[in-house]
Amino acid sequence: MKSLLALALAAALAAPAGAQIPVNPPVKAATPRPTLNTEFAQSLLPAAPDVADWQPRNRAVAGGKIVITGTGFRPQDFEAVVGASKYKLPVRVGSSTPTRIELDVPADALGVSGAFLVAHHGTQARTLDTTYRLDQPTPALAEMGAGSAVFPYVKKSVHVKVREFPGAKLDVDAVTFGGTCGFHKQPGISYGTPNRAQDLSLEFTVQGWFGQAGTCRLEVRFNPLAADGSSLSRVTLDGELRIEAPVTYSFSSTDDLKSRFGTTLVHFGLGSICTGTLPNGAKVGVDDDGADFSVVIRGGPLEVGCSFRTKEWILPEGVRLKEIEWDSKRTGNRCGLEGTFTSMQFSPGPLSRGALTVKPDASPSVSDHVVFSDKELVFDGQSFKSNLSRPTTMIKPLYLGMQCVSMATVLTNSSGTHGPTLDPQAYRITLKKLVLEGPPNLTLP
């Protein structure tokens, strides 16, 4: 083959005088190859699947599924991909039908995003979403409530549903609560270990009670469990609840409570008259003070010692003691609370055990009068009720010990020395007011 230089020289010799001979001959341009028209190629394929809807939209969660509905599906031939890498989602052939396709979202799909396309093998593709995402679960409260008419200190069932639960199951016994509702989970109940549902939600119900009224935030804290039982990262969710305000039940005339208290005489000194009516017509023992419940002791020629005790009062569910008020009245200077006069050698000992000794002048608080528990009612080493199934308030037994020194003796006290007297001597303890609060429509006492 002649070289390009030899060909150029021969051309120069054959050219007319004065003609310009190109050093490099023109090179013929290559014929371009035909390009593939992909849209045209697609149009030659059978039609794409007839899709009516798909759920969830916009994003799916690893470990979950995508449901596509439509007509004419062939589960064995169905294909679905996401993103530029064409990540292929497995088809649940066994649970798919000609009108419903179920796709798995594997755990290794996290972070994949882009166009979501579906097709039957060898057919045109249909784009369902151009920016679809395969994400990790984002847990949130789907439901939380305790039903209607929720009042403080009344046991309720609190139902919680978490969507996009990040684990396989949950130990409900280990779930704790916080927030501003003052919620207490009822102890002594085993709640089990529910599994996550196919839609990645998990539901559970616990028994418990709320410690205050008003609109509040209930916080739920738990550690999801993996399928092998290992603990995953802690999750804290919260939602708003409404706790209704309790109704007030006020006993401004406390003589209605005599039968409820069931007051009995538990001790009396030698020669003491503690109940009934004295020869002068004066009443002793349980005796109304106007319209109020009271206990009274009266002096005489001998020393008088009388000790009374009421029975405990276990209040109905949700009922609490809100207010209580005592009053004392003294006639003369020779009667008072047990222990006021040292001349009387008596110790209440076991008679006052498990009871509140009422001292009106000391203004005992509401909390002094009650025991509260959702397990066992115990006071002063004495158990009044165990194996409780609900939050319970008990007004303690009340111990009312009183005494009078003899009217025939010389009395020396802080105010001086006093000789024998015939003036009336008495001491009275009166329950002036008692206020309860709780759910409406209760019959008390």
Side-chain angles (χ1 to χ4, degrees), residues 300-358:
L302 300 177
E303 291 185 342
V304 179
C306 303
S307 301
F308 299 88
R309 180 170 173 144
T310 70
K311 61 183 179 181
E312 71 275 11
W313 182 5
I314 297 179
L315 299 175
E317 183 176 12
V319 177
R320 303 271 288 171
L321 178 63
K322 183 179 181 181
E323 187 177 350
I324 189 166
E325 181 182 335
W326 294 96
D327 183 39
S328 65
K329 295 178 182 178
R330 184 178 283 104
T331 301
N333 58 3
R334 292 177 180 255
C335 298
L337 283 174
E338 193 173 74
T340 301
F341 305 99
T342 57
S343 62
M344 298 189 67
Q345 301 300 313
F346 169 70
S347 174
L351 298 177
S352 63
R353 183 187 171 204
L356 171 68
T357 299
V358 177

Side-chain angles (χ1 to χ4, degrees), residues 112 176 182 217 308 357 360 375 398:
V112 174
T176 60
R217 304 291 298 180
F308 299 88
T357 299
K375 298 179 182 177
L398 305 172

Side-chain angles (χ1 to χ4, degrees), residues 46-52 68-74 77-79 101 117-121 123-128:
D50 185 8
V51 174
I68 301 174
T69 55
T71 59
F73 295 148
R74 303 192 302 275
D77 295 332
F78 200 88
E79 298 176 350
I101 295 292
L117 294 88
V118 297
H120 287 115
H121 183 71
T123 70
Q124 298 179 38
R126 183 180 301 279
T127 301
L128 303 184

Side-chain angles (χ1 to χ4, degrees), residues 258-300:
K258 282 187 297 185
S259 60
R260 169 58 68 181
F261 283 129
T263 308
T264 58
L265 177 68
V266 293
H267 176 266
F268 56 93
L270 182 64
S272 303
I273 300 177
C274 297
T275 61
T277 304
L278 299 179
N280 62 4
K283 290 185 176 181
V284 291
V286 178
D287 176 44
D288 291 344
D289 182 12
D292 293 323
F293 163 78
S294 74
V295 178
V296 62
I297 186 174
R298 299 185 188 277

Side-chain angles (χ1 to χ4, degrees), residues 150 155 185 251 409:
V150 183
K155 188 170 75 171
K185 189 166 64 170
F251 298 91
T409 61

Side-chain angles (χ1 to χ4, degrees), residues 144 158 160 170-179 183-185 191 204 206 218-223 234-238:
M144 184 172 69
V158 177
V160 178
L170 176 67
D171 179 7
V172 180
D173 293 341
V175 175
T176 60
F177 295 85
F183 180 73
H184 300 261
K185 189 166 64 170
Y191 296 100
F204 62 91
V206 298
L218 179 59
E219 188 176 85
V220 186
R221 302 183 292 254
F222 56 87
N223 284 82
R234 193 164 184 78
V235 175
T236 300
L237 305 173
D238 67 90

